[in-house]
Amino acid sequence: MSATPDTASSKLMSQGTIEGRDDFMRRIANRLGRPAPMTAPPARTAVGVPEPYAAVRTTVQERIDQFGANWTALTGTVWTVRAADAAEAVPQLARRICEERGIDRVTRWDHPDLAALPLDAALAADGVAVVPWRADGASAVADAPAGDGDTTAWSRRSPLLRATERCRLGIVWADYAIANTGTLVLLAQGGHGRSVSLMPDTLFAVIRADKLVTRMGEAFESIRRDYPEAASMPSSINLITGPSRSADIENDLTIGIHGPGKVYAVILES
């Protein structure tokens, strides 16, 4: 009795054989202009980005201008202020965002530079609650605790996460920013939770001008230098380039599905 096609295919697969492989590889080689498939991998004479690209050097002002152009091209809003004026300017901008978007609850990184600004007090004066990303952060708001009979997955989350889910603005202090792509680089660790930049529908990032780099490779080089030991590395490195965009369903572009749909940034010049 002869084997059915399905049985024959299963037998070939179990034996680890591939039919037509040589013809397939020859067709690829011919399309690439080669008479036959290569028998050895090509020599790799360069590692990393091309030397002319790696050699590009830009001034701080050029990086500020380039980041701003790329960030706004992605529909983000960017401001530039003097670092000496940050204590006044950053809270004012946060208040402006909340007023324009009708936001009454904010979450922020528990970052020393953010904590040093009169940000929480300025927002509280406008009736905006602030949830800092730390263990006792949820105590800043008067949310009702999950009921004893509530067995949903949401009720089993930490009070901090439940409080953050109800925030509409996340405020972060960027570790780095990449000028030629308009990208924030956020390192998640300790009080710098990634939920702050991912869960709210609006994001506000504070960027020091001396943390702006020209290209992505420079950001990774800085991270390797700052965290030489694997054990000390952040739990994740989040690269945020403009508002969240998704078009995986019928190629229909949707904004703000997997993260904030509105993004703001302020660059602090020295």
Side-chain angles (χ1 to χ4, degrees):
M1 180 177 178
S2 61
T4 64
D6 286 346
T7 304
S9 298
S10 299
K11 185 176 180 180
L12 283 172
M13 291 177 64
S14 65
Q15 293 173 345
T17 60
I18 302 175
E19 289 188 332
R21 179 183 182 279
D22 292 340
D23 289 339
F24 178 73
M25 297 303 293
R26 269 194 296 271
R27 285 197 297 272
I28 293 178
N30 292 339
R31 292 290 182 90
L32 294 173
R34 299 172 185 158
M38 299 179 68
T39 57
R44 187 176 181 182
T45 58
V47 177
V49 299
E51 186 174 338
Y53 182 55
V56 171
R57 294 292 179 267
T58 56
T59 66
V60 172
Q61 188 58 54
E62 286 172 336
R63 292 193 290 275
I64 291 173
D65 293 342
Q66 188 176 34
F67 179 89
N70 288 320
W71 187 258
T72 54
L74 295 162
T75 70
T77 301
V78 62
W79 300 280
T80 302
V81 302
R82 294 192 313 153
D85 298 330
E88 179 181 359
V90 173
Q92 283 183 350
L93 292 172
R95 294 173 66 185
R96 174 177 168 180
I97 294 168
C98 290
E99 181 180 1
E100 289 178 353
R101 296 188 55 76
I103 293 171
D104 61 4
R105 181 184 289 196
V106 168
T107 180
R108 67 163 175 83
W109 273 6
D110 189 27
H111 191 287
D113 291 318
L114 279 178
L117 301 175
L119 182 61
D120 295 5
L123 291 171
D126 288 346
V128 178
V130 179
V131 179
W133 186 262
R134 59 175 184 253
D136 64 345
S139 63
V141 293
D143 287 339
D148 294 337
D150 190 347
T151 60
T152 61
W154 183 84
S155 69
R156 294 193 296 272
R157 295 182 177 182
S158 71
L160 176 59
L161 193 56
R162 294 202 303 270
T164 301
E165 285 179 325
R166 293 170 171 167
C167 295
R168 292 194 49 223
L169 172 64
I171 304 176
V172 299
W173 190 282
D175 294 279
Y176 307 97
I178 303 167
N180 69 357
T181 55
T183 300
L184 303 175
V185 181
L186 308 181
L187 308 183
Q189 55 182 338
H192 309 169
R194 58 182 174 269
S195 294
V196 175
S197 64
L198 295 176
M199 299 183 78
D201 59 54
T202 308
L203 176 65
F204 179 33
V206 184
I207 308 165
R208 275 176 36 188
D210 61 355
K211 291 296 184 178
L212 271 168
V213 298
T214 303
R215 59 183 179 82
M216 188 173 296
E218 294 175 50
F220 289 131
E221 289 168 4
S222 297
I223 294 170
R224 282 196 296 267
R225 182 181 63 249
D226 294 344
Y227 300 92
E229 302 296 329
S232 67
M233 286 287 289
S235 62
S236 69
I237 300 172
N238 303 310
L239 306 177
I240 300 175
T241 307
S244 167
R245 298 168 183 265
S246 177
D248 55 353
I249 300 177
E250 297 187 358
N251 205 32
D252 184 15
L253 180 62
T254 306
I255 306 296
I257 293 297
H258 303 300
K262 291 289 290 184
V263 292
Y264 301 82
V266 58
I267 300 173
L268 305 182
E269 292 183 291
S270 300

